[in-house]
Amino acid sequence: MFSFFKKKTDPKAKLKKILKGYELPSFPAVVMQILQKIRSPYSSITSIAESLSLDPGISIKVLGIANSAAFSPSKRVENLTQAIALVGISQLESMVLGVGVAKGLPKQSCQWHDPGAFWLASAKRAVLASDLARILCPAKEGECFTAAFLQDMALPFLACHRSEEYDPIFKHWHLEGGDLAAIERESLAWDHAEVASWICSEWGLPENIAAAIRGHHGHSIDAYEPLGPVRLVAILREDDDNSGMEEMIAEAKVSHGVSEEKMLAIIEPGFEKAKELARLII
């Protein structure tokens, strides 16, 4: 069963106010049904594959990801049952959740938001967070991957539907760096992590993922402590000329004792995997 994010606020009303009346699209029902089947302890791989097959678009993406460099299968994966056995239930949940969120996010480009660049940066964070979780918190690897992939899910909405106030914030962050949530709080009564948690609540996403997203700039949420890998990769930005890479590498050593050499060893292959993941997820 899903553990749903508790609605301590009215996210729909808050989102309409922040997004200037924009109506958040519904989370795809078929994706939620698939996620519920994945999370059920009574589901078999065969029954999960049957649920996935109800959405050809998601099925094609799952097969593509299973055959990608991220999983490096010894031979081509031909069907969903094989794909699920290869990637595992946790990673499958991450894939399906990512596809579902991607369906609901703005597709148009606008100032400071390019969908291709956004999803590539998201995929880089996800792959790196997963690799770092193997070092820092192996039991949380799937959770770190998902939360890192979706941690900036509010930014496309803010860029496209709150641009008059948000453009200066994006400009500052992309050109000068720093902590995005802190920059937001200097001029707004909220930050993108909080807005993302309201979107999670409105869409009924799992509570642990919503809390990890809300805490990716270091805030504790009830019983949930921030996940170190998710917090680390939040430093990365989409701008190749000011990516935040050096900041992230330095912070990994200071906060978690992960050496520069170890970081460099996982970054390059991780980014290669991320390119294919970003292409397949949207």
Side-chain angles (χ1 to χ4, degrees):
M1 298 292 291
F2 264 118
S3 174
F4 293 107
F5 192 65
K6 297 176 183 177
K7 296 188 177 184
K8 296 180 180 178
T9 63
D10 178 0
K12 195 177 191 71
K14 286 186 174 290
L15 286 167
K16 282 190 72 171
K17 181 178 179 180
I18 285 174
L19 302 179
K20 302 295 188 181
Y22 173 78
E23 287 282 355
L24 190 72
S26 299
F27 193 80
V30 67
V31 177
M32 186 59 76
Q33 291 168 6
I34 294 168
L35 288 168
Q36 289 172 333
K37 180 62 71 73
I38 289 170
R39 285 209 153 200
S40 170
Y42 305 107
S43 295
S44 65
I45 288 179
T46 301
S47 67
I48 293 171
E50 289 173 353
S51 292
L52 281 170
S53 67
L54 296 175
D55 190 307
I58 294 178
S59 299
I60 290 169
K61 290 179 187 296
V62 169
L63 285 171
I65 294 169
N67 281 299
S68 72
F71 293 97
S72 303
S74 57
K75 60 180 181 179
R76 182 166 181 79
V77 176
E78 300 289 351
N79 59 61
L80 289 170
T81 302
Q82 292 175 351
I84 296 167
L86 174 67
V87 305
I89 296 298
S90 177
Q91 285 283 26
L92 177 67
E93 182 183 350
S94 298
M95 291 178 197
V96 174
L97 190 54
V99 170
V101 170
K103 285 175 177 285
L105 264 57
K107 302 294 190 295
Q108 75 269 31
S109 296
C110 49
Q111 179 73 354
W112 302 107
H113 173 64
D114 171 78
F118 171 81
W119 285 111
L120 178 57
S122 299
K124 287 178 178 179
R125 294 188 191 105
V127 173
L128 286 187
S130 178
D131 288 342
L132 285 164
R134 292 192 199 108
I135 301 169
L136 301 174
C137 48
K140 298 285 188 178
E141 183 182 347
E143 191 173 333
C144 286
F145 179 96
T146 306
F149 191 61
L150 302 179
Q151 63 181 212
D152 281 350
M153 61 190 285
L155 294 186
F157 293 108
L158 295 171
C160 296
H161 301 289
R162 190 72 185 238
S163 59
E164 67 279 4
E165 290 123 321
Y166 214 82
D167 281 356
I169 292 171
F170 268 120
K171 184 176 182 179
H172 181 124
W173 182 51
H174 278 283
L175 300 183
E176 300 180 35
D179 185 286
L180 177 57
I183 297 168
E184 291 166 326
R185 287 286 179 180
E186 289 176 2
S187 56
L188 304 169
W190 41 265
D191 59 49
H192 71 284
E194 186 174 18
V195 175
S197 74
W198 296 335
I199 295 173
C200 288
S201 180
E202 177 64 18
W203 280 348
L205 303 190
E207 182 178 353
N208 63 321
I209 298 301
I213 291 170
R214 176 68 183 91
H216 78 268
H217 280 275
H219 306 294
S220 296
I221 309 299
D222 297 329
Y224 295 93
E225 288 295 320
L227 296 172
V230 179
R231 176 70 186 94
L232 262 181
V233 301
I235 297 171
L236 291 177
R237 296 180 288 276
E238 295 173 29
D239 191 339
D240 289 336
D241 296 325
N242 189 21
S243 67
M245 184 80 67
E246 292 182 0
E247 299 167 48
M248 181 186 68
I249 291 172
E251 185 63 26
K253 183 173 179 60
V254 171
S255 298
H256 302 285
V258 181
S259 68
E260 179 178 351
E261 292 74 21
K262 184 65 175 177
M263 288 296 293
L264 292 174
I266 65 175
I267 285 171
E268 185 173 351
F271 279 11
E272 284 301 310
K273 293 177 183 178
K275 290 177 184 177
E276 194 164 8
L277 175 62
R279 179 177 62 81
L280 290 165
I281 206 75
I282 57 175

